[in-house]
Amino acid sequence: MDKVARQALLQREVQLSVSVAQARDQFMIYGTLYATLTTVTTLAKVAGKSVPPVVLAPALMGGTMLANMYDFAYGSKLQRVVAEAEYIMDHEKHRMVPPKQALFHKFYEENELDKIKNVGAVGTYVPSFLPWSR
């Protein structure tokens, strides 16, 4: 059992490291594009040229997006996500209940199953006048 646990741990570490590496790569690409956009916009404004207001939206949203990407790639976002996942697994286990056809559905306790028994399928929340409603 210890060997299986070590293999699972290694697989998890590989997956997480690949995810972080991808985030760093995306941060570099989008960071370059963002820096180019803001530099060109600033230079145009300094030169007295008019800058369309539509350019401000990507500049503002891009900064927020880059901050989020940086936090995942170099900050503590991954640890905060793991802590939230641990909380969900400890206190909101009913969110993990698989479909009843899954082999491991029987391992969930009644109290977890009771919390989701009144939740309908996505299609039941569509207004009835739409053709794809149930």
Side-chain angles (χ1 to χ4, degrees):
M1 190 60 147
D2 210 24
K3 185 177 180 180
V4 173
R6 285 210 172 275
Q7 287 176 333
L9 176 65
L10 178 62
Q11 182 179 1
R12 178 184 181 274
E13 289 175 348
V14 167
Q15 289 172 340
L16 286 175
S17 63
V18 167
S19 293
V20 171
Q22 287 174 332
R24 289 179 180 179
D25 182 57
Q26 288 177 348
F27 176 74
M28 295 299 175
I29 292 168
Y30 291 122
T32 302
L33 292 173
Y34 181 74
T36 303
L37 172 73
T38 55
T39 302
V40 169
T41 303
T42 303
L43 289 176
K45 206 62 166 155
V46 168
K49 298 183 180 182
S50 67
V51 176
V54 73
V55 173
L56 293 177
L60 294 174
M61 291 185 292
T64 303
M65 178 194 69
L66 275 176
N68 188 37
M69 291 174 76
Y70 178 86
D71 191 21
F72 181 77
Y74 297 101
S76 63
K77 184 176 185 118
L78 187 58
Q79 287 80 17
R80 293 191 317 271
V81 169
V82 167
E84 184 66 18
E86 288 172 352
Y87 176 84
I88 291 169
M89 291 172 66
D90 289 342
H91 298 94
E92 300 176 27
K93 187 88 168 170
H94 63 279
R95 294 183 183 274
M96 307 300 145
V97 175
K100 61 184 175 185
Q101 294 85 355
L103 294 174
F104 42 85
H105 181 271
K106 62 186 173 192
F107 297 122
Y108 285 85
E109 297 175 9
E110 277 304 313
N111 65 344
E112 294 160 349
L113 298 172
D114 288 342
K115 288 181 181 178
I116 64 164
K117 70 179 177 184
N118 294 328
V119 178
V122 174
T124 61
Y125 295 107
V126 177
S128 59
F129 62 86
L130 294 174
W132 54 84
S133 67
R134 291 185 187 180

